Amino acid sequence: MAQTEIDPLALDRQLCFALAATSRSVIGLYRDLLEPMGLTHPQYLVMLALWEHDPRSVRDIARELRLDSATLSPLLKRLEASGYVRRARSTTDERQLEVSLTTAGRALRDRARSVPTTVADRLGWPLERLERLKDELTDLLAVVDAA
């Protein structure tokens, strides 16, 4: 019986494909939940960062979300136009642009509170399993950063 060779270039063996396809599909689940709040998924990530620490510099948000300023700036402008954030020069360092939540932006946190559990419910995995997966992906990201 001849042994079949495993093709290292088979699409279903590619980590990059599995990550990209999964990312698109999971973000699609978020999209349905965020749309009624007037948020895109990238805007939601900005809001998560601000709900953790408010105010924050644009540079700090970009670093944490791994976005360049050309990507982050339009997100912030749209969030500001929606009334969720305010951008202003830092009072301690004029070179820094600071982003802070408005009253509406802080109130949005309550509406968003159910998003993570609803996504977990739709995926049908227990939160513990999703937490382990997130930890594995975080570890992988650290390895990529170190490479």
Side-chain angles (χ1 to χ4, degrees), residues 40-128:
T40 63
H41 184 260
Q43 290 170 335
Y44 174 66
L45 298 178
V46 171
M47 295 302 291
L48 288 171
L50 286 167
W51 290 328
E52 281 185 18
H53 303 288
D54 174 40
R56 293 182 92 151
S57 71
V58 171
R59 181 177 293 144
D60 183 42
I61 295 169
R63 182 174 35 252
E64 182 155 4
L65 298 183
R66 298 167 171 268
L67 297 173
D68 58 40
S69 61
T71 302
L72 183 57
S73 291
L75 292 173
L76 293 172
K77 285 179 183 176
R78 286 192 298 274
L79 286 169
E80 189 171 38
S82 296
Y84 293 139
V85 303
R86 180 179 316 105
R87 295 177 302 150
R89 290 278 163 210
S90 169
T91 55
T92 57
D93 183 352
E94 262 187 33
R95 296 171 297 174
Q96 292 284 330
L97 189 59
E98 205 167 67
V99 182
S100 58
L101 292 167
T102 62
T103 302
R106 283 188 289 281
L108 187 62
R109 188 178 197 279
D110 289 333
R111 290 182 59 199
R113 189 175 297 278
S114 66
V115 169
T117 54
T118 302
V119 168
D121 289 346
R122 288 184 180 181
L123 290 171
W125 280 11
L127 286 174
E128 299 78 26

